[in-house]
Amino acid sequence: MNLPDKMGIITEGVSLSYDGHLVLGGVSLRLKKGAVITLLGPNGCGKTTLLKIINGLLRPSSGLVLVNGKDVSRMRQVDLARLMGYVPQSQKSSFPFTVQDIVLTGRMPHISALAQPGAKDVKKACQALKMVGASHLTDRPYTQISGGERQLVMIARALAQEPSFLLLDEPTSYLDFKNQFTVLKMISRIAGERKVTVIMTLHDPNHAFMFSDEVVLLRKLPALGDCSKQALPGLQNVVAAGMPDEVMTPDNIQDAYGIEVEVLEVRGRRMLFPL
């Protein structure tokens, strides 16, 4: 493929089916390096699935994903882990590892198979915890902290990998109203300071308005029987992709969510209000 700019993430015709139901159909995107990009849409539209395909955790039924010009399906997992940090919606552990131990596991792509984390790795883990404002949790058992604190720890773990791309699946899960904004501000700050490309899924369109450089708005595909091999022509998830103001219009929101909204400006910020 002849690409004018290979830096960033490119998806070409990515489709995926579960049990004959098409979840993703013909997703083609250009996600430029250095941006905070939000995948937005209703439940079941394929946000998490697309994130996992980008990260190499799922293989699409058709299409390909390129990261900095390289085909994800042909990359070793250790190389992907050095390039991408991934934070799923929830992370459970039944073992009472300390928070520092959990964050240190993010250093594994940089440590040989038979080696132990060294002083440099411990320093990187501490720096990552400080970056997310969770240094006070360092010696706490991971099983004894709140869901919101676990979310911060997992973001720190991903940052300890020193990735070029940070993939976050619902980073505001388990967080109260105040801490949702605190975490999203932190993610935006880290993206700027560390020059990390952030791709995150969110439920709240207004959060996407406030904290995104770009938005990919997805719709849920209808059930059309057995589409397990590839997407039917013209059947696509992506409603629009680009700048938030251009993507999140009343018509596009109606297409994606099936509800009418009005876009209002409050103190210089645009917000969506259901009608």
Side-chain angles (χ1 to χ4, degrees):
M1 181 180 296
N2 184 21
L3 300 173
D5 183 3
K6 293 184 178 181
M7 302 305 289
I9 294 175
I10 295 174
T11 70
E12 286 287 352
V14 168
S15 302
L16 184 76
S17 298
Y18 289 122
D19 298 325
H21 174 62
L22 189 65
V23 177
L24 289 177
V27 176
S28 296
L29 298 169
R30 301 292 188 275
L31 306 179
K32 66 182 182 181
K33 192 171 177 61
V36 177
I37 302 154
T38 295
L39 306 180
L40 187 68
N43 291 339
C45 71
K47 299 187 298 294
T48 296
T49 298
L50 180 56
L51 209 62
K52 288 182 177 180
I53 289 175
I54 290 173
N55 196 31
L57 296 176
L58 288 176
R59 288 213 171 204
S61 306
S62 61
L64 78 160
V65 178
L66 302 176
V67 180
N68 290 345
K70 296 181 179 180
D71 187 341
V72 166
S73 67
R74 298 181 179 180
M75 295 177 66
R76 298 185 306 160
Q77 280 300 315
V78 66
D79 293 328
L80 269 175
R82 289 171 180 166
L83 194 61
M84 293 187 185
Y86 174 61
V87 181
Q89 285 188 38
S90 60
Q91 184 77 21
K92 296 181 180 179
S93 174
S94 57
F95 299 98
F97 298 117
T98 67
V99 162
Q100 180 171 281
D101 289 337
I102 294 291
V103 177
L104 270 173
T105 63
R107 297 296 302 163
M108 299 313 294
H110 302 279
I111 302 172
S112 61
L114 300 179
Q116 295 292 323
K120 177 183 177 181
D121 301 303
V122 173
K123 182 179 179 180
K124 295 287 186 182
C126 291
Q127 288 174 341
L129 282 167
K130 183 178 180 180
M131 196 172 298
V132 302
S135 294
H136 62 290
L137 300 174
T138 298
D139 297 319
R140 293 273 304 278
Y142 182 74
T143 52
Q144 295 180 19
I145 61 177
S146 70
E149 289 171 333
R150 290 187 184 189
Q151 197 78 339
L152 292 177
V153 170
M154 296 311 296
I155 293 173
R157 178 187 181 276
L159 290 172
Q161 292 175 228
E162 299 183 289
S164 297
F165 300 90
L166 183 59
L167 279 55
L168 305 165
D169 195 6
E170 292 294 340
T172 56
S173 296
Y174 310 108
L175 300 179
D176 59 34
F177 184 69
K178 174 184 176 182
N179 284 316
Q180 288 177 13
F181 287 91
T182 299
V183 167
L184 290 172
K185 286 179 181 178
M186 175 199 70
I187 290 168
S188 296
R189 173 178 55 80
I190 289 170
E193 291 177 356
R194 298 285 292 268
K195 309 300 180 185
V196 174
T197 303
V198 173
I199 304 173
M200 61 181 173
T201 68
L202 291 176
H203 272 306
D204 192 329
N206 287 318
H207 286 171
F209 248 139
M210 296 172 66
F211 297 102
S212 308
D213 297 316
E214 298 181 9
V215 172
V216 178
L217 182 61
L218 304 169
R219 66 167 71 90
K220 184 177 180 179
L221 297 179
L224 295 176
D226 187 4
C227 303
S228 60
K229 298 300 180 184
Q230 57 184 335
L232 297 177
L235 194 60
Q236 298 182 351
N237 299 76
V238 179
V239 175
M243 302 288 287
D245 289 354
E246 298 171 355
V247 170
M248 297 169 64
T249 65
D251 286 345
N252 287 342
I253 295 297
Q254 172 74 42
D255 191 346
Y257 289 93
I259 61 170
E260 293 185 29
V261 299
E262 184 175 356
V263 180
L264 300 179
E265 192 165 307
V266 180
R267 296 187 179 183
R269 289 180 175 176
R270 290 192 169 191
M271 300 188 71
L272 297 180
F273 289 85
L275 298 178

